[in-house]
Amino acid sequence: MGEIRKTAIIVPCFNEASRLDVQKFLQCTETYEWLHFLFVDDGSTDDTGRILDLLCRSHPKRLAWIRLEKNAGKAEAVRNGFLKALEGEFSYIGYWDADLATPLRTIPKFCEILENREIDLVIGSRVKLLGRNIQRRPLRHYLGRVFATAASLVLRLPVYDTQCGAKIFRNKKDLKIVFSIPFHVRWTFDVEVLARFMMIESLMGGASVERTTVEYPLEEWIDIAGSKVRPRDFLKGIIELYTIFRIYRSRGAKDRFLKDFSSAT
C-alpha cells in the first residue's frame, strides 16, 4: 500500500470519559502519519473534556478537539466537526464512533478504497458473514434490518446499513454543501446525508451516489456496553425517515433544498 493522503476523522463524544480508549487513539496516531483526529465534545457533563485536552496535548499537530457548550446531539456534533475539518487541507474526511465498536485499524482499509477507485464515500456495513466477528444484540440486529429496509425504500438506494458509525468521504465541493446547514433529523442524520448527496446529484448531475459509494463489510464490530441508542429509539428513527421523505422526496423538494443552502451561504 502506498502513502495514503491526509485524512481527518471526526469523533463525536458525549460523556465518554469511562469508554474513551486513549491508548488506542495514541497508537493509531503514532502508526499512521497521514491520519488526524478531531474530537467534538458535545457538551459533556463528565470528565470527557479533560481527557480530550490531555490526549490532544500529546500530539497537537495531529490531534485536536472542539467543545459545544450545550449537548446538541450526534448529528450536530459531527456537522460541526466537518465544518472545522473543511477548513484544513484534507483529502478525506470521515467520522467514527468514540466507543470504537469499529476498530481504528479499519480506517486505512476505507482509505485504500478511496485511493484506488473512483469512489467518494465508504460506509462500514455490519454484515454477519463467515470469517467476520460481528457481535450485535439480536433485538438491535433485527430492528436494524427493518430500519435499513425502510431507509432503502425512502432513499431508493440499495443500502444495507446506513447507521454504522464508520464513514469516510472524499473531500469534494459537494461535501461542504451537505454539511453546511443543520440536519432536519437527530437520530438518522446518516440517512439525510445520503439524501442530500442524492439531491445534489439530481440538481447538478454527475456520477450517481449508487456508483460512487461502497459499503465495506466490516471484519469486526462489537456492540460496546454503554451505548446511548436504545431500542425505543427505533420508533423515533422511523418517524424521522418520514421527515426525510417529506423534505427530500415530496413535491417542491428541490426548491426547498436550494433555498436552505442559499440561506446558509
Side-chain angles (χ1 to χ4, degrees):
M1 181 184 72
E3 181 68 13
I4 292 174
R5 286 181 280 182
K6 192 175 177 182
T7 301
I9 298 296
I10 314 302
V11 183
C13 303
F14 175 63
N15 290 348
E16 295 287 354
S18 63
R19 300 201 303 169
L20 201 63
D21 196 327
V22 170
Q23 291 304 315
K24 286 185 179 178
F25 281 106
L26 284 173
Q27 182 181 11
C28 190
T29 303
E30 291 165 359
T31 302
Y32 305 112
E33 295 183 357
W34 45 266
L35 184 57
H36 298 243
F37 288 102
L38 173 60
F39 301 88
V40 182
D41 180 2
D42 184 20
S44 297
T45 57
D46 64 357
D47 236 7
T48 297
R50 184 184 65 82
I51 293 171
L52 291 177
D53 187 57
L54 290 172
L55 171 61
C56 294
R57 286 176 185 271
S58 66
H59 290 279
K61 292 184 178 180
R62 307 254 308 286
L63 301 175
W65 73 292
I66 59 176
R67 175 176 171 80
L68 306 184
E69 291 305 316
K70 295 182 180 180
N71 176 240
K74 183 180 178 181
E76 192 62 9
V78 168
R79 194 180 76 87
N80 275 271
F82 267 84
L83 293 178
K84 183 66 176 178
L86 285 164
E87 296 175 3
E89 297 181 353
F90 295 103
S91 295
Y92 310 130
I93 305 175
Y95 58 94
W96 221 258
D97 282 346
D99 62 6
L100 302 186
T102 306
L104 292 173
R105 63 177 177 273
T106 312
I107 294 173
K109 297 178 181 180
F110 280 30
C111 292
E112 282 184 65
I113 295 172
L114 291 167
E115 285 281 323
N116 298 326
R117 300 176 60 177
E118 292 300 316
I119 297 301
D120 293 333
L121 169 59
V122 182
I123 300 174
S125 190
R126 296 164 290 186
V127 186
K128 193 172 181 62
L129 302 169
L130 293 175
R132 265 31 179 200
N133 181 24
I134 306 297
Q135 298 181 27
R136 200 176 186 190
R137 283 171 283 176
L139 179 60
R140 288 189 65 178
H141 169 73
Y142 292 118
L143 289 177
R145 295 312 316 132
V146 173
F147 179 86
T149 300
S152 293
L153 291 172
V154 167
L155 293 170
R156 300 174 194 167
L157 189 72
V159 57
Y160 181 88
D161 186 0
T162 59
Q163 300 310 109
C164 179
K167 296 178 174 67
I168 303 182
F169 304 75
R170 187 180 302 279
N171 188 0
K172 299 174 64 176
K173 63 179 181 180
D174 295 355
L175 198 60
K176 187 172 183 179
I177 297 174
V178 168
F179 287 95
S180 63
I181 55 178
F183 295 103
H184 294 90
V185 296
R186 182 182 179 95
W187 297 93
T188 59
F189 78 97
D190 305 78
V191 179
E192 190 170 357
V193 165
L194 291 172
R196 288 184 176 185
F197 274 115
M198 295 179 76
M199 180 63 72
I200 293 169
E201 172 197 328
S202 67
L203 288 167
M204 302 180 184
S208 69
V209 172
E210 186 171 352
R211 288 181 54 195
T212 58
T213 301
V214 165
E215 282 195 271
Y216 180 85
L218 298 173
E219 284 90 354
E220 182 176 331
W221 190 93
I222 298 175
D223 203 345
I224 305 296
S227 171
K228 298 170 183 66
V229 178
R230 299 290 183 265
R232 64 176 177 269
D233 294 327
F234 169 78
L235 294 177
K236 296 178 183 177
I238 294 297
I239 293 171
E240 288 190 351
L241 284 182
Y242 172 73
T243 299
I244 293 171
F245 176 82
R246 178 175 53 82
I247 292 172
Y248 295 95
R249 288 295 182 187
S250 61
R251 181 179 298 177
K254 291 182 180 180
D255 291 337
R256 283 194 299 272
F257 183 79
L258 288 171
K259 182 178 179 181
D260 284 347
F261 176 66
S262 62
S263 66
T265 55

